[in-house]
Amino acid sequence: MLNQSLALAITGYQKYLSPYKGFCCAHRVWHGELSCSEYTKQTLLQNGVWRSLPKIRARFQACKAAALALSEQHNRERDNNRKKWRDKTGDVCECCNPLELISPESCSSFHMGCSGVDACACTP
């Protein structure tokens, strides 16, 4: 009875909360397997609560490791794609965003938050 109740609660989470949280299970993305919620639900129904707890705990630890690996991969890709733009003095211009194409007319208004930097003079 407890197994079915927990499985029903997980189904509710999957249907009503998970689609709106803005991200998906890192374990599923990294390994291409079941999401942690689906794995937990199936494990509970197959093994019961007490025998499932160590398996679920291990799965969540694996999911955390997958999330860290995905984060590191994302950071490496972001750093590789980011160009260092420099202003007239040769200093790195943190205000310029080479991934956004802006016209010279809108450049000064786009970079209003840059203090002391002529952002329109930045070059790759």
Side-chain angles (χ1 to χ4, degrees):
M1 179 75 171
L2 179 60
N3 301 343
Q4 288 82 14
S5 298
L6 290 172
L8 184 62
I10 292 170
T11 301
Y13 161 79
Q14 291 173 322
K15 186 174 181 180
Y16 296 109
L17 296 176
S18 183
Y20 303 104
K21 66 183 180 182
F23 58 92
C24 58
C25 174
H27 192 278
R28 179 176 162 202
V29 171
W30 189 254
H31 296 287
E33 299 173 356
L34 296 175
S35 67
C36 288
S37 59
E38 186 62 30
Y39 174 84
T40 299
K41 183 169 69 172
Q42 288 184 14
T43 302
L44 284 170
L45 291 173
Q46 292 171 2
N47 302 308
V49 175
W50 301 115
R51 287 190 303 197
S52 296
L53 287 177
K55 294 177 181 184
I56 294 168
R57 184 177 294 123
R59 177 60 178 256
F60 286 157
Q61 288 173 344
C63 189
K64 180 179 178 181
L68 290 172
L70 284 168
S71 177
E72 289 174 9
Q73 179 185 28
H74 172 76
N75 289 339
R76 277 193 308 273
E77 289 173 1
R78 183 196 64 216
D79 291 344
N80 288 339
N81 291 333
R82 182 183 295 160
K83 292 181 182 176
K84 296 288 186 185
W85 284 49
R86 301 194 178 275
D87 63 15
K88 291 178 188 175
T89 65
D91 294 331
V92 174
C93 181
E94 298 295 336
C95 302
C96 294
N97 183 353
L99 301 178
E100 292 186 31
L101 298 175
I102 53 176
S103 66
E105 298 81 32
S106 63
C107 181
S108 59
S109 62
F110 180 78
H111 291 291
M112 290 179 91
C114 300
S115 58
V117 174
D118 180 6
C120 298
C122 294
T123 58

